[in-house]
Each structure stands twice: as structure tokens, then as C-alpha cells.
Amino acid sequence: MAGLTLRSVYKNYGEVPVIKGVDLDIDHGEFVVFVGPSGCGKSTLLRMIAGLEDISGGEVSIGDRVVNDVEPRDRGVAMVFQSYALYPHMSVYDNVGFGLKLAGTPKDVRDKKIRDAAKVLQMEHLLDRRPAQLSGGQRQRVAIGRAIVRQPDVFLFDEPLSNLDAALRVDMRMELSRLHHDLNATMIYVTHDQVEAMTLADTIVVLRAGRVEQAGTPLSLYDDPDNLFVAGSIRPRMLGRPLSVWEPAPCPANPLTVFALSPTARRKPTLPLTGSRHAMATMQSTPPMWLSRWAATA
Amino acid sequence: MKAPTPNTLLARGLIVLLMALTLLPFLSMLSAALAPQGTYPNGLQWPADPQWSNFVKAFEVAKMDQLLLSSALIVLGVVPIAVLIATMAGYGLAKLTSQKYKWLYLIFVFGLTLPFEAVITPLYYEVRALGLLNTRFAIILPLIGLYMPFGVYWMRAHFLSVPHDLTEAAQLDGATRWKEFVLVQVPLARPAIMSLTILLFLWTWNQFLLPVVLVQDPMQRTMAGALGAFQGQWGTDVPLLCAGSLLILLPTVLLFLIFQRQFVAALMQGAVKG
Ligand SMILES: Nc1ncnc2c1ncn2[C@@H]1O[C@H](COP(=O)(O)OP(=O)(O)OP(=O)(O)O)[C@@H](O)[C@H]1O
Ligand SMILES: [Mg+2]
């Protein structure tokens, strides 16, 4: 069990302040999404949690442990990089198993875990290939597989789906959501895509220039944004920005709507039926199990 | 198929000419080596009665078997250690050095500007002070040091090109710096290590100056260095001298033929990066 706490966290690059006092409490099992404009410090914050960047001020705790001075490898976190960062000289099998091998996991246990992960991510047929022989989406899955086999307490994702085409992105989004449900781990996810934020998050954290502008459930941010900036991050349409194809819109008449994608979303949608056509477009293929369950309760 | 244009014909002609110019001295040496002993062949005509036995004789009088062994010992003493140190230092300078210590690398770059010849005299006194004069260590230890600027420069350039997020991924996977180096960085650096090994091998095998200055006994030198002594002793017997020189050349040529691809790759890499 590991929640995550950030206490007035600061980061300076030389003289330049990048993170200017961030306070956050993240519960165990929560799916948190960071959104915000480019350069606002999302990646930096994520990397500070992972231990890849020094912390200039404040405290980061994972579980009950202050990890400011703990090496990345001892923090119990796994990260999926935007660039995937797969080891080019290893097969998919070895890529996924590398962390287990380093941890000294016995070979048979390791083998089972790798194959289980491969099954979950539907990449059993790819295990013998090298990363160079995979498509972007397949690499993505390997990167996620590498993260999940070690069963970390905290998952960090830095724009993991940004290189994928729209259809694959929808698939992967569902897969991530299901993983989150199955693994019961804390996940922190960086994205530019407000549909991704709305559909995946239990909590959305809107960042602006190194500060938290507002944090809350997708619905509360949508219904009751503190200011125009937050509103603009969550529903750009309202501010006369170009209509995104992926405008999120819950629609009771059609259960395959965006809010339904969050496994913990229990609240009945209260918003007007705008853009349900677009929401339809985001969902294709068969809905996962929990989605139908949600549809029944809604 | 297209008919070759005049330009490509000209280019081909020039290449053939260049090849002929390169090969000619060797052919000339071969013809001289086959001349009867005691004669003064002009090296331009094929002897009527090729004396292949000259090679056997040269092999015996120059004690080629011992020379081969000596060269091999020196190469084995120099190349693996130099490559290992250069790889570790290159990794350290590329990945582990903070901004504050970037200047350390400049020392190595400065070393690149020093020709061997410039340091040979102080080196002589140093080796003598260490009591290593006339041993193979007099060649091995200085060579390892002298190769460092190039080796470190070479390996650092490679490690700089490895994306940093691989390092970070390995760290998050639980790797210590050592594990990351051994299990991720070194396997990825194989082509660079390979080419460095080949270059250092060639330079060591053909090392002439250091052995001649620092080691008296020809049997403790590299083959190329021993050639100096061979020349002093048999300088008047041109056929024998030529046969000996060709024999000394042979191992590198054989090695080149075996590792042709890697050689070319090594040199191309230098051309692109350097
Ligand atoms: N190594 C560094 N040195 C100096 N400044 C840096 C460094 N890395 C990042 N920054 C600065 O820190 C700020 C935050 O960067 P960060 O990468 O966290 O942004 P981001 O929110 O992830 O943006 P994006 O959405 O474009 O990925 C940027 O203004 C960036 O210029
Ligand atoms: Mg970023």
C-alpha cells in the first residue's frame, strides 16, 4: 500500500525556478492525471517523484517514507517513458524481465511473470522479437509490460500514448484503465489530451507554470472550475477554442461515454448531452466488463 | 543495364591506377624476395628461378616464431586493458560527469594533440627509473597510456550518442551503475568497442618507435620493431630482408582479410564522427 505525498516541493534549474511549491496528496490506488500547457513542469514533477531529478526543496514521500535521498531503484516506482526507452539489444522477453533479473527473481518465477504480463498485454507472440522489429503500439505495450512485471507501488506515465494513432490510443487507454483496476496500484499520468485526462483520472491535477492551479475529480473540475485557466484545460470548447474531435461528453442515453471509462466513476452524469456523437467516436470495439457494469448502475 | 558514363569510367580507371600504385611496392618486394641470395635485384622483374626458400630462411634467421609470440604478448598486454579502461572512462566522462568536471575531458583532448615522438625522450627516462627498460612492460605500459586520449575520446563519443533515458530506465529497473554499465551500456557499445580494438591492435602491432628506443633485445619487441634489428643485421642481403619484411606484414594482412568488414566499419565510423 503506497500513497504519495508532496509537501511544498520546489525545483530550480540553476537560478530558474521550474516547480514553485507543489502540495499534493495521492491515495493508494488513485489514478492521477497531470495536465497543463507545455513547459509547465509536468515531466519535471514526475521525474522528481521517480528520483531522476534532484529535489531543490520540500519533501516527497512514497507510502510513509520520505524518499528525497532514496535512489530511483529503491523507490518502488516504475516509469513508462514517452520514448519507451526499451533496451535495443534485448528481446522483448528480456526487456520485460530485466528488472526481475536484477532483483534476483528465480528463473521459473520470472518466466511465469513475464508470460503473464505478455498475456495481459496481448503480446505473447512478440516475446522473441527485438524492439526494432516492433510497431510503435507494440513497443508501447512492451514498455508497459516492463513496468507491470515488477509490481511496483507507483506507476508513472509520461505522455505514453502521444506517439500512437487515434484508434490505438483508444485501445491502449482502455487497457491502461483495466490494468489500473486489476493491479490496484497508484498511477500518475501526464498527458496533453483532455479526453485522456477525463476518461482515465480519478483526480486531475491542473498545473500552470510550476504550481497546482486546481486538483479534483474530472467532474468537479468540469462542473466547477476555479478559474478560466482550469476551465480552458478541461473543456477548451467553452472558451471558443477550436472544437476538439475528442470533446468529452457524458451521455446517459449512450453508456459508452467518456466518464464511464473511469472504473471508479459512480456519479450520474449531470451535464447536457453535448457532443455525444464525438464521444461515440472515441469508443469502438466492445466495451470492457466493468463498463457494462457501470452502464447498469448509471 | 545502363552503359557507364565517361565519368564513371574515368573514376574506375583512377581507382585501378591507385590500386596498382599501392600494390606495386609490394609486388616489387616480392620479386626481390624471390631473387637468389647475394644478388642485388632491382625489384622490377620477375626472377627466372624464384627462390621460395628465402622465406624459410628469413623465418629462421629472424626467429619469426619468437617474434610472433613476442608481438602477441605485447598486443595481449596492451589492447584488452586499454580498451577496458577507455570504455569505462568514456562512459564516466559521457554519463557520470557533472557540468563542474567537464574540463577533465579536455585533458584527454589535449593528449590527442601530442605526437608520440614528442614524449619519447621523457618516456625513456621514466621507464628507466621504473627499472623496466628492456622488458616488454617498457612497451606495454606506455602504450596503454598513450592510447588513452584517443580511446577515451572514441568511447565517450559513442556513449554520448546513447539516449539518456536508457540509463534512467535501467535505474528504475533496479540497476546499480555497474549493472547498467555491464548489462546495458557495454552490449550497446559493441560496435564502438570492436572498432577501437581493431585500431589499437593495428597500432600496437605496427609500433616501431617505442620498441626500438626502449627495448634493446629484438626478441622482446614487436615484429615491426624487430625489423629494425633485422635490417641492421641483414641489411646487405636484400632478398632476405624483403622476405623478412613480407613475413612481418603477413599477420596484419591475414587479420585484415578475416575482419575486413569490421575494419571498414571502424574506419567509416571515424570518418563520420571524427
Ligand atoms: N535540464 C533543464 N535545465 C533547465 N531547464 C529545464 C531543464 N529541463 C526542463 N527545464 C525547464 O523546466 C520547465 C518544465 O519542463 P518540463 O519538461 O517539466 O515541462 P512539461 O510540462 O513536461 O512540458 P511538455 O508538456 O512540453 O512535456 C520548462 O520550462 C523547461 O524549459
Ligand atoms: Mg514533458
Side-chain angles (χ1 to χ4, degrees):
Chain A
M1 296 297 271
L4 200 90
T5 316
L6 275 63
R7 282 280 160 271
S8 53
V9 167
Y10 285 83
K11 173 75 190 176
N12 307 320
Y13 282 113
E15 295 292 296
V16 188
V18 173
I19 302 291
K20 305 161 190 164
V22 168
D23 283 283
L24 266 185
D25 287 287
I26 297 169
D27 291 335
H28 173 77
E30 210 174 337
F31 199 125
V32 178
V33 175
F34 290 173
V35 297
S38 188
C40 69
K42 305 181 294 290
S43 299
T44 308
L45 205 53
L46 207 64
R47 293 166 54 80
M48 285 164 84
I49 296 169
L52 300 172
E53 301 282 351
D54 294 333
I55 295 164
S56 310
E59 244 176 32
V60 174
S61 323
I62 298 176
D64 302 326
R65 187 165 63 133
V66 177
V67 292
N68 282 29
D69 298 319
V70 177
E71 291 282 329
R73 63 172 176 273
D74 299 323
R75 290 193 183 194
V77 301
M79 184 157 168
V80 176
F81 293 80
Q82 183 174 353
S83 59
Y84 315 138
L86 301 178
Y87 310 116
H89 61 295
M90 294 182 198
S91 65
V92 168
Y93 184 93
D94 290 333
N95 260 287
V96 174
F98 188 62
L100 294 173
K101 195 169 161 189
L102 288 172
T105 314
K107 204 163 174 196
D108 45 333
V109 181
R110 197 164 80 211
D111 186 70
K112 185 175 178 326
K113 285 189 174 183
I114 295 171
R115 293 192 187 281
D116 285 350
K119 201 173 190 175
V120 170
L121 295 167
Q122 294 158 30
M123 55 178 198
E124 286 154 302
H125 58 298
L126 303 174
L127 284 175
D128 294 328
R129 299 221 200 143
R130 294 283 171 98
Q133 300 163 328
L134 300 175
S135 74
Q138 291 168 334
R139 283 179 212 180
Q140 186 70 62
R141 276 182 274 167
V142 178
I144 294 172
R146 188 169 66 176
I148 63 175
V149 277
R150 290 194 305 128
Q151 295 168 329
D153 300 324
V154 179
F155 283 94
L156 307 172
F157 297 93
D158 194 352
E159 303 189 34
L161 307 187
S162 56
N163 291 351
L164 307 185
D165 72 45
L168 195 53
R169 217 183 289 179
V170 173
D171 281 353
M172 288 305 296
R173 224 182 272 158
M174 285 202 230
E175 231 155 278
L176 280 178
S177 200
R178 199 186 61 224
L179 271 175
H180 174 234
H181 192 63
D182 295 348
L183 298 173
N184 188 30
T186 310
M187 293 191 169
I188 304 179
Y189 189 101
V190 170
T191 182
H192 272 127
D193 180 330
Q194 73 267 9
V195 173
E196 228 160 86
M198 297 300 272
T199 53
L200 289 171
D202 297 321
T203 303
I204 294 181
V205 176
V206 182
L207 290 167
R208 179 192 202 173
R211 288 200 182 84
V212 176
E213 199 69 22
Q214 190 177 352
T217 64
L219 225 46
S220 72
L221 261 61
Y222 194 96
D223 280 346
D224 183 23
D226 282 357
N227 53 38
L228 278 179
F229 181 82
V230 174
S233 308
I234 301 298
R235 37 177 191 181
R237 184 188 185 182
M238 300 296 180
L239 297 180
R241 300 248 184 96
L243 170 66
S244 150
V245 201
W246 307 119
E247 175 78 7
C251 167
N254 168 18
L256 305 184
T257 52
V258 286
F259 288 121
L261 277 174
S262 173
T264 48
R266 282 279 174 270
R267 199 175 143 188
K268 248 184 173 170
T270 56
L271 291 161
L273 302 176
T274 49
S276 54
R277 208 162 31 89
H278 301 304
M280 279 282 280
T282 66
M283 303 286 303
Q284 13 111 309
S285 72
T286 49
M289 273 292 288
W290 53 263
L291 187 58
S292 355
R293 237 184 295 134
W294 183 88
T297 61
Chain B
M1 234 183 96
K2 263 198 318 196
T5 65
N7 262 345
T8 51
L9 276 182
L10 181 71
R12 274 181 212 166
L14 282 175
I15 288 175
V16 170
L17 189 70
L18 192 68
M19 258 168 54
L21 280 177
T22 315
L23 281 178
L24 207 62
F26 294 100
L27 285 175
S28 168
M29 264 170 89
L30 184 63
S31 81
L34 292 174
Q37 249 180 309
T39 59
Y40 285 88
N42 58 16
L44 290 178
Q45 75 213 44
W46 198 250
D49 175 25
Q51 304 282 309
W52 294 99
S53 60
N54 280 348
F55 283 99
V56 181
K57 178 120 190 284
F59 192 94
E60 276 162 7
V61 297
K63 304 204 190 86
M64 286 291 175
D65 44 346
Q66 287 186 42
L67 278 184
L68 260 173
L69 182 70
S70 175
S71 272
L73 283 177
I74 290 171
V75 164
L76 283 178
V78 171
V79 177
I81 294 177
V83 168
L84 180 73
I85 299 177
T87 305
M88 295 202 296
Y91 172 70
L93 285 171
K95 295 281 182 195
L96 306 180
T97 317
S98 59
Q99 281 301 330
K100 233 170 34 189
Y101 295 102
K102 284 275 184 265
W103 56 268
L104 271 173
Y105 171 63
L106 291 181
I107 297 179
F108 286 97
V109 175
F110 176 67
L112 273 179
T113 64
L114 284 180
F116 277 27
E117 290 78 5
V119 294
I120 192 79
T121 312
L123 205 55
Y124 176 83
Y125 289 108
E126 217 166 288
V127 167
R128 196 176 63 175
L130 287 169
L132 294 175
L133 226 47
N134 293 328
T135 65
R136 290 198 188 94
F137 284 107
I139 303 170
I140 292 173
L141 295 180
L143 274 186
I144 292 176
L146 287 167
Y147 287 159
M148 278 309 112
F150 178 80
V152 170
Y153 158 82
W154 185 264
M155 292 314 299
R156 177 180 175 270
H158 163 78
F159 284 119
L160 280 181
S161 73
V162 177
H164 195 62
D165 50 13
L166 281 186
T167 299
E168 295 177 340
Q171 274 181 286
L172 286 171
D173 264 342
T176 57
R177 279 291 178 185
W178 267 111
K179 285 261 166 75
E180 179 217 332
F181 177 69
V182 175
L183 297 176
V184 177
Q185 298 289 350
V186 169
L188 285 177
R190 258 197 22 216
I193 291 176
M194 210 40 196
S195 42
L196 182 65
T197 307
I198 288 173
L199 289 173
L200 293 191
F201 166 81
L202 276 185
W203 294 342
T204 309
W205 192 272
N206 294 333
Q207 187 50 238
F208 184 76
L209 185 69
L210 236 53
V212 167
V213 174
L214 299 173
V215 176
Q216 292 297 312
D217 177 4
M219 289 303 119
Q220 306 269 331
R221 291 178 179 173
T222 57
M223 275 189 128
L227 188 63
F230 189 74
Q231 192 184 8
Q233 220 170 339
W234 304 94
T236 49
D237 193 336
V238 177
L240 203 61
L241 188 61
C242 286
S245 307
L246 284 176
L247 282 179
I248 286 172
L249 275 173
L250 203 60
T252 23
V253 174
L254 282 181
L255 213 87
F256 175 78
L257 290 178
I258 297 170
F259 289 108
Q260 229 176 40
R261 263 182 203 210
Q262 284 87 338
F263 268 90
V264 174
L267 297 176
M268 290 295 286
Q269 195 174 349
V272 173
K273 278 199 183 146

